[in-house]
Amino acid sequence: MESMEEMSKTMVTTFECLSVDVLFEICAYLSCADILQSFASLNRRFSTMLMQEYLWRIRIDGDSMSISMFNDFCENILQVVKYRVISLRISFNNTIGGWSLVSSALKHYRTMLLQRLHLIDIQPYEFDKLLCNHSIKQLHTLIVDITESNPFNHQFVEGAYLAKVCSSMPVLNICRLPFSFSPISHKNLPISESTPLMSLPSIFNTTYLHTLTTGVNTSRFLQQLLLCIPCIRNLSIGVADPEEIENDNCDRFSMPVTVDPRLLCNLVRLKVNCLTSMSFHRTIVLLSSVFGQLIHFSLKLKLYTSACERFAISGDIIQQKCIDRLKPVASYALDLSFCVENDFEEKRIFNSFVKAAFFSRRRPKIIIQERNNWNIGLDYHCFALFTTPYHGTKLQTEFFSEDLQVSSLTQLNPIDLFPKANELFIEGFNGESSHHRLCNPNCSISSLVPWSLLTTIFIDGSDFISAFELEAILRMSCNVDKLRISEDNDILCSAILHDTDNLATRVNQQIKSLDMDGYTVTLSNVRYFCKLISIRLPNLKKLTFSIHDSYDGFGWHSASTRDGQIKSTKSIVNFIRCLTDDLQQLVSLRIFFFDWTFTKTPCFSYLIRRQLHESTIKRPYRLRCASGEIQLWL
């Protein structure tokens, strides 16, 4: 019988005899770290193959990496193979100054093969540094994704970053910059800063640009943008005109001139997101000449409107101005949300969609859902309509109700219905949450939820949901590892931290990221709150919570004296040190300070930095500190 040592030698010899193409196929199933750690130093052949012939597609998940792991990945993975990297995807959700680590790993090589860069939630100051880096000159693809709280959502100059990107990347083919213009941010600029509204005249080097996604801007911006992107094939835009544009003193209902189709002769895919009725009409008029050449059209509307409004949008309007203008072979997708004033009784807008010609077609399938009006007004009628598959990422439990209307009653596969869904939003302030039916796996409504795709659950309010129901929902959504809770009492917080109905056990086993905003957590009891977190949920990797002032409305008492500031700072530093000591897997800690009067804070950044340095946290960390927030990357 052949000995184990002889068998091992045979396996090694056989493996080394495999062709390079076969080895590359094997490497496709492994991560970069696994490949380098396993094969890079195996022998000269493998070392040469990996360093000289293998092209790397690297993904750095800063969302779950500690600062040590992130730094180690940059130094021992990225820096080793940097001149062979063709695709780089980096998540900056929890990192602080993460781009500096990546940049330093790339900076020594003037010639690189990097062609595709995907950045998730990068901060503006880091993106500015990126645009100065020589390694991006040859980029063909730049994709940026941001969260709702990212400062990029409050741009005060339209097109500023688009102009910078186009000038820095002359061969760019695909660009996604979902940065949104904020009229309020521009209006709040100092009078001395004569900043223009747009930077579009600076946009050039768009000869190769064929796919572009922008954030929400004005229709005037869109008019100018269309003149700068003659080769565009796929265009995704957001439009929201500020009130002063909609109510122009010269002509309130003035419309733009329809674009010359010869300027956009290559455009075949168009995606439009409008936040006001007038923005929709302006955009459709502007682009009406190109509808006949499209192979796909996507429309998203989220409107608060009136049934009596002159330019109200109905099913007939969508049919006539959009769908009827498309070629018969063209596909389309709708994602419409309406809150219509003075239409609760007659439901004129709602019925216009039910009676529209596109609603009765077999394809695409249309789903329409009436929604409650509890947080808007009793005279509002609210409903949502979308085509399948629905490509949104957030699902509201309000959608999954018994009166759901589907245009074609065929069997629905939830994964085919919601292929990109990753978050379940549970809201119940109106006392009519639909989550009760979802807790029952045998319920027909529950079968419409793509449970296996979900990674996040967000609960807004807590009076309506029990610990048992939350535990059942978590059990069905086995891939959920992020839980967000916002409540004005401590019902769910108490249930989790005091092991009610096994909820704490389930959360500790399943949840790696916990975001809790309960009004009862104050500076006086936060130490006890953190102690319970450490005991009940020792496996957390990310922790976010808010510290509230009391409801008495007198502000933070600690802010009134120097001794009070030192005392509150010491208290904050103490519970931060306890959390970082007790939660050994923690990589991100974020604390918000909320004051009802918005005038004072117990968080004094210069004192906290000094005391954190003196208290010597045992683990490496980076700190971002402001008056209303503390963030640590561990």
Side-chain angles (χ1 to χ4, degrees), residues 37-53:
Q37 291 170 359
S38 302
F39 304 128
S41 58
L42 186 62
N43 56 39
R44 182 176 296 179
R45 182 197 177 205
F46 275 89
S47 178
T48 302
M49 179 191 74
L50 296 177
M51 299 307 171
Q52 302 298 329
E53 299 182 38

Side-chain angles (χ1 to χ4, degrees), residues 257-276:
V257 177
T258 301
V259 66
D260 187 340
R262 291 174 295 182
L263 292 175
L264 299 173
C265 59
N266 297 318
L267 183 64
V268 292
R269 293 179 178 272
L270 176 64
K271 183 176 182 180
V272 178
N273 174 21
C274 295
L275 275 64
T276 66

Side-chain angles (χ1 to χ4, degrees), residues 189-213:
L189 286 174
I191 299 177
S192 58
E193 296 186 20
S194 56
T195 306
L197 282 171
M198 297 184 194
S199 288
L200 277 171
S202 301
I203 293 184
F204 57 95
N205 288 338
T206 62
T207 306
Y208 301 99
L209 187 63
H210 63 71
T211 299
L212 175 64
T213 299

Side-chain angles (χ1 to χ4, degrees), residues 272 280 296-301 315 318-319 322-323 326 331-337 353 356 358-359 364-367 384-391:
V272 178
F280 166 79
H296 180 77
F297 173 68
S298 177
L299 175 65
K300 181 176 182 179
L301 299 175
I318 300 296
Q319 182 74 54
C322 299
I323 297 175
L326 299 172
S331 62
Y332 62 88
L334 303 177
D335 180 3
L336 315 179
S337 176
F353 281 97
F358 67 85
F359 189 82
K365 194 191 306 283
I366 307 289
I367 293 183
L385 177 149
F386 62 86
T387 54
T388 60
Y390 176 72
H391 291 294

Side-chain angles (χ1 to χ4, degrees), residues 523 555-566 568 601-602 604:
L523 199 60
W556 299 97
H557 303 293
S558 59
S560 58
T561 65
R562 176 67 176 178
D563 289 342
Q565 294 176 8
I566 295 174
S568 68
T601 177
F604 306 97

